[in-house]
Amino acid sequence: MAKRFEHHLDRIHGPRDLRRLSGEHLGALCAEIRALIIETARHNGGHLAPSLGVVELTVALHRVFDSPRDKIVWDVGHQCYAHKILTGRRARFPSMRTLGGLSGFCRRSESPHDAFGAGHASTSISGALGIAAARDARGDHFHVVAVIGDGGLSGGLAFEGLDCAGEAERDLIVVLNDNNMSISPSVGALSRHLTGIITHPLYEKIKKEVWDLTHKLPRGSRSVQQIVRRIEESLKGLITPGSFFENLGFRYLGPIDGHDLRELVTVFEKVKRMHGPVLVHVRTQKGRGLADAEDDPRKYHGIAPLDCESGKLEPAPCGPSYTQVFGASLVALAERRPEVVAVTAAMCDGTGLTEFAARFPERFHDVGIAEAHATTFAAGLATQGIRPVVAIYSTFLQRAFDQIVHDVALQRLPVIFTLDRAGLVGEDGATHHGAFDLSYLGAIPDLVVAAPKDGSELRDLLATALAYQHGPFAIRYPRATVPDSDALSHGPTTLPIGEWEVLSRGQHGAFLAVGTMVKVALAAADELAREGLKFGVVNARFVKPLDRELLARLAAQGRVLVTLEENALAGGFGAAVARALAEREWPAEPTPRLVCLGLPDRFVEHGARERLLEMVGLTPSTVAAQVRRAAADVAGRRTRVRRPVVVSSH
């Protein structure tokens, strides 16, 4: 596939080769990089628009700075595709996001050019400052560059990094990639502030006149340099409210055209010779070079594989997704309940809240990439009788754990958390898998944790959460199509808190399955039934509180109990069931045998979701094989202990 683009790229095996290329060929090189990114995304999906927008910026950085000696830290990493192509990974680039191939994000284990791994936003400045501090402590000498988007700059961690970097006064370069977009359009005062700087006609007029003047003055004069510096500072003080970055201790340069290679290289060459913290403000266009992505960068931010003939996005799978069911259900409930509001962290589209935002703009709050703030903000709303529904991806809600504990649960506030992308999300890999939410949420007192088996039950659980007034409520669901295509055809029902659903009964044991694993359990039970092993299936839709009454009845029969969860085994649903069983007194015989199946105690790599589930033993056939062995062991020798035997799959 890459052969189509081998021209200038054929000569680039690392950043040093880039510096041997004449300046007049850099534009053609950028076009080849974009073509390779687009072609790979058509086959593998990925973060297309962000990477297309930073091609010239990436080329300029690697032409000026000496990676890997100089450290370039990419925020989030979803805009690192050109970086990977230029740092010796072009031949492997078509493997991007496939099992065993390149990651879609920066990874230290993948290349020495990936100075800092990331998958969540707002981390680059803090990480880069740590690298700079280590450099100075060792007496070493190299440049450290953090590249952060305007969306990432809305996160609190980014502000903490800016504040400390300005105070420390270390040599550090921050490149602000300002495209006025994060995933959904950037929101907040800072975004408006940055846009205001660029669009103010007085800024551009005076800036042009200042530089025209300097060209007419004698060169090398110290007084000329002082005059230019004072004019520039006065200009920024006039146009830029509060001179934001300068007040934090940064020398501010920009804004500059992020697609003008000559200007970028010139500015970075000057910045290399400067000392102390410097911020270079670069304006780019998200989706640059692909008309559809330029017109709709939100749609093309993160994409599924494209139709290779038309270049358009492939049609959605048959039936609605869990995300769509959630969005439609919340709109329907909000129509009847004016106290319901929605809160998200720069993920309006991804969490299915686009329609809600359009229908109820005054009741929709996008706080930017600030999950911790979203949680405490929702807690404040809840104290005043508002019912906030906080929609955040499972992996991103991890960043608000402290706020969930202290600001929500400790005060027993009825905040509803809906966790999209729970479980394995596939090609985005370890940084984006929602592998830990049952564990970290299950540890918090007074927090109800639930997972629907299908779209209809998602609607029921959402209605149940809104009816629940005694504390926080969390609902987790996958990035997948719901198994019931008619999920939106009927209204929701309120469910009894903590009550499981018995779907079938069996004489040899039972599956206790959570969410997506209910479908797997039903298929595994069918496979075992054909061999004469009768296993029932229980939809354990409430992970906390457990249905202890039903669990006790099943355990008392002394059969095999199998917990199934698309979550880490450590501290997850199976662990909670084992703890509940261990708290009971059992007769000498029979005793239940508990088999816990879930995600292993390691980070799961990127790849197609079904392939990953097979690797971790959570497909019907792999589950059936593990249960078959456990059932044979029970039949062969009854264990005489006063506690249940627990067997983990990993």
Side-chain angles (χ1 to χ4, degrees):
M1 181 168 60
K3 291 291 184 182
R4 293 176 52 189
F5 313 112
E6 288 183 358
H7 184 47
H8 296 298
L9 268 180
D10 192 40
R11 301 160 60 187
I12 306 298
H13 304 288
R16 294 185 178 181
D17 296 322
L18 181 64
R19 292 189 283 279
R20 298 188 184 103
L21 200 65
S22 66
E24 63 187 35
H25 292 145
L26 292 180
L29 175 67
C30 290
E32 294 174 26
I33 292 171
R34 281 196 171 90
L36 179 55
I37 290 173
I38 292 169
E39 182 70 10
T40 302
R42 281 183 172 142
H43 287 270
N44 303 347
H47 289 93
L48 179 58
S51 281
L52 291 178
V54 298
V55 172
E56 287 85 3
L57 174 59
T58 307
V59 169
L61 285 169
H62 279 298
R63 187 171 175 87
V64 173
F65 295 98
D66 184 21
S67 178
R69 175 165 177 76
D70 291 337
K71 313 301 180 186
I72 301 175
V73 178
W74 295 89
D75 201 77
V76 187
H78 64 212
Q79 73 279 54
C80 69
Y81 291 4
H83 163 76
K84 294 201 174 198
I85 292 170
L86 293 172
T87 53
R89 286 168 277 184
R90 178 176 61 88
R92 294 188 62 206
F93 192 73
S95 72
M96 177 78 69
R97 303 176 78 246
T98 63
L99 187 63
L102 295 180
S103 169
F105 301 91
C106 292
R107 294 184 63 174
R108 282 170 44 80
S109 61
E110 189 177 286
S111 169
H113 295 279
D114 291 357
F116 194 81
H120 290 184
S122 312
T123 63
S124 59
I125 300 172
S126 297
L129 181 59
I131 293 172
R135 172 201 63 198
D136 296 344
R138 292 197 306 262
D140 209 339
H141 300 281
F142 55 81
H143 299 284
V144 182
V145 183
V147 185
I148 187 169
D150 56 313
L153 204 61
S154 69
L157 181 60
F159 283 95
E160 294 172 26
L162 283 172
D163 182 51
C164 289
E167 179 70 20
E169 299 183 345
R170 299 184 187 278
D171 290 350
L172 175 68
I173 301 165
V174 175
V175 177
L176 172 56
N177 172 34
D178 180 8
N179 56 32
N180 201 32
M181 290 283 292
S182 49
I183 297 172
S184 299
S186 294
V187 296
L190 180 60
S191 178
R192 291 192 297 273
H193 167 73
L194 294 173
T195 303
I197 297 173
I198 311 305
T199 58
H200 202 295
L202 182 59
Y203 183 94
E204 285 301 322
K205 182 175 184 295
I206 299 178
K207 180 181 178 182
K208 182 178 184 302
E209 291 178 356
V210 167
W211 287 110
D212 286 347
L213 174 63
T214 60
H215 287 301
K216 298 175 183 178
L217 294 174
R219 297 294 176 185
S221 169
R222 182 176 179 85
S223 60
V224 170
Q225 295 174 349
Q226 292 174 343
I227 290 171
V228 172
R229 173 66 63 84
R230 288 175 182 173
I231 292 174
E232 184 184 10
E233 290 177 351
S234 298
L235 172 60
K236 290 173 183 174
L238 175 66
I239 303 302
T240 308
S243 299
F244 178 78
F245 296 110
E246 288 94 336
N247 288 341
L248 285 174
F250 280 79
R251 175 84 169 94
Y252 173 86
L253 300 176
I256 63 176
D257 183 353
H259 301 293
D260 186 332
L261 266 167
R262 181 174 298 178
E263 184 177 14
L264 285 168
V265 170
T266 299
V267 169
F268 288 144
E269 289 286 4
K270 293 178 180 178
V271 167
K272 279 181 67 174
R273 297 190 290 271
M274 298 172 68
H275 295 286
V278 180
L279 187 136
V280 182
H281 184 179
V282 177
R283 286 283 290 179
T284 63
Q285 180 185 23
K286 198 170 182 179
R288 180 88 166 194
L290 181 64
D292 289 340
E294 291 176 359
D295 293 340
D296 195 349
R298 294 168 67 174
K299 180 178 179 181
Y300 283 81
H301 172 83
I303 63 168
L306 300 178
D307 184 297
C308 292
E309 297 298 325
S310 67
K312 302 295 183 181
L313 289 171
E314 289 184 344
C318 297
S321 67
Y322 280 91
T323 303
Q324 292 169 327
V325 170
F326 161 71
S329 301
L330 187 61
V331 167
L333 289 165
E335 287 176 341
R336 301 193 301 270
R337 302 189 61 164
E339 74 277 17
V340 172
V341 304
V343 181
T344 192
M347 300 298 292
C348 177
D349 299 341
T351 57
L353 290 175
T354 304
E355 183 182 356
F356 187 101
R359 293 282 297 277
F360 311 107
E362 73 287 353
R363 294 157 62 184
F364 172 73
H365 305 278
D366 186 344
V367 302
I369 302 178
E371 296 84 2
H373 165 65
T375 300
T376 303
F377 172 70
L381 289 170
T383 65
Q384 302 304 306
I386 300 297
R387 295 307 309 275
V389 178
V390 182
I392 297 177
Y393 290 3
S394 169
T395 183
F396 298 144
L397 191 61
Q398 294 165 186
R399 314 185 95 188
F401 179 76
D402 179 72
Q403 287 70 32
I404 298 171
V405 173
H406 284 269
D407 301 333
V408 178
L410 191 60
Q411 302 187 81
R412 302 193 71 172
L413 293 171
V415 175
I416 300 167
F417 296 96
T418 57
L419 286 70
D420 205 320
R421 273 65 168 177
L424 300 179
V425 296
E427 290 82 1
D428 282 338
T431 59
H432 281 54
H433 293 322
F436 308 107
D437 53 69
L438 296 184
S439 301
Y440 70 78
L441 293 175
I444 302 173
D446 301 319
L447 172 61
V448 176
V449 183
K453 72 178 187 301
D454 55 28
S456 297
E457 194 163 71
L458 173 56
R459 303 195 80 190
D460 293 344
L461 286 171
L462 190 57
T464 303
L466 284 169
Y468 184 70
Q469 299 284 346
H470 308 296
F473 199 115
I475 307 169
R476 59 112 67 172
Y477 45 90
R479 181 188 188 183
T481 302
V482 297
D484 50 336
S485 58
D486 62 343
L488 295 171
S489 63
H490 54 82
T493 300
T494 302
L495 303 173
I497 301 293
E499 183 176 291
W500 294 346
E501 178 187 27
V502 177
L503 300 177
S504 63
R505 301 180 187 277
Q507 67 187 73
H508 297 108
F511 288 104
L512 310 179
V514 176
T516 55
M517 291 293 101
V518 172
K519 183 179 179 181
V520 172
L522 289 168
D526 287 343
E527 181 175 332
L528 292 170
R530 291 192 292 271
E531 304 168 11
L533 288 173
K534 306 295 184 182
F535 271 75
V537 176
V538 174
N539 170 25
R541 55 197 175 194
F542 287 99
V543 174
K544 187 174 184 178
L546 301 174
D547 190 338
R548 289 177 176 266
E549 182 179 340
L550 177 56
L551 178 60
R553 292 202 306 269
L554 293 170
Q557 298 168 3
R559 299 166 183 164
V560 177
L561 298 181
V562 183
T563 64
L564 268 176
E565 60 189 305
E566 198 174 336
N567 183 82
L569 282 169
F573 171 66
V577 169
R579 186 174 64 251
L581 294 176
E583 291 171 355
R584 297 180 61 88
E585 288 294 327
W586 301 94
E589 189 176 344
T591 56
R593 174 156 186 169
L594 180 64
V595 179
C596 298
L597 305 181
L599 299 182
D601 189 23
R602 59 179 172 82
F603 292 108
V604 179
E605 295 299 315
H606 57 276
R609 183 169 178 271
E610 289 304 317
R611 182 72 180 92
L612 297 181
L613 288 172
E614 182 180 0
M615 287 174 56
V616 299
L618 292 180
T619 59
S621 60
T622 54
V623 166
Q626 295 175 82
V627 173
R628 191 180 298 116
R629 289 193 294 269
D633 185 54
V634 168
R637 54 182 180 87
R638 290 288 180 180
T639 306
R640 298 179 178 274
V641 295
R642 298 187 63 81
R643 287 289 182 267
V645 177
V646 181
V647 179
S648 169
S649 64
H650 302 282

